[in-house]
Amino acid sequence: MSPVIKEHARARLVTDARDLPVVPVELRHDTADAPDTILVAFPGGAEWAVARDLLERGLRSPAEGDSFRIWPCGRAQLVVERHAAGGVEVVQFDSAPLIRFLRRTHSEASRTEPARA
């Protein structure tokens, strides 16, 4: 059975408000069912399914794919913009927790791969 990797993080909802509201999110990666996808679960049940490689590319330089645009914001933040029929949603993450989480997804995946003969 492949593990589901979970980690809690915080995201700032980018709005026109002076102070960006911070919400708790859960990052999830299922090495068996969706090895190339990271789920970002927001309070209230909303989930974003983001390609893992897109998040990784977005940490270094602007990247775009599916309905997402991702780019680094300074040295310590990452912006994720999601386009949907209802409009655009933008959140900002601290990069360090995302980097740690993505590293865990790779190390867990390498542990669960069958040994090669």
Side-chain angles (χ1 to χ4, degrees):
M1 179 176 184
S2 296
V4 175
I5 302 163
K6 296 180 183 180
E7 188 164 316
H8 294 280
R10 295 183 327 193
R12 285 171 211 77
L13 304 177
V14 178
T15 66
D16 56 0
R18 181 181 169 117
D19 293 320
L20 301 181
V22 176
V23 297
V25 297
E26 183 178 72
L27 305 171
R28 285 193 306 253
H29 179 254
D30 187 330
T31 58
D33 289 342
D36 299 328
T37 303
I38 302 299
L39 288 176
V40 182
F42 293 91
E47 285 188 344
W48 292 359
V50 185
R52 181 171 64 173
D53 71 319
L54 182 64
L55 276 175
E56 290 170 336
R57 286 185 287 129
L59 284 162
R60 294 184 302 276
S61 62
E64 200 170 325
D66 296 324
S67 59
F68 293 97
R69 290 184 183 162
I70 301 173
W71 64 92
C73 181
R75 295 173 46 163
Q77 311 239 308
L78 179 75
V79 176
V80 179
E81 179 181 279
R82 179 179 174 258
H83 293 257
V88 177
E89 299 168 304
V90 182
V91 296
Q92 185 178 39
F93 292 95
D94 290 336
S95 297
L98 281 174
I99 292 168
R100 278 193 308 272
F101 176 75
L102 291 167
R103 284 184 182 149
R104 280 184 59 206
T105 67
H106 285 287
S107 73
E108 287 294 330
S110 65
R111 274 192 243 163
T112 58
E113 287 178 359
R116 297 180 187 194

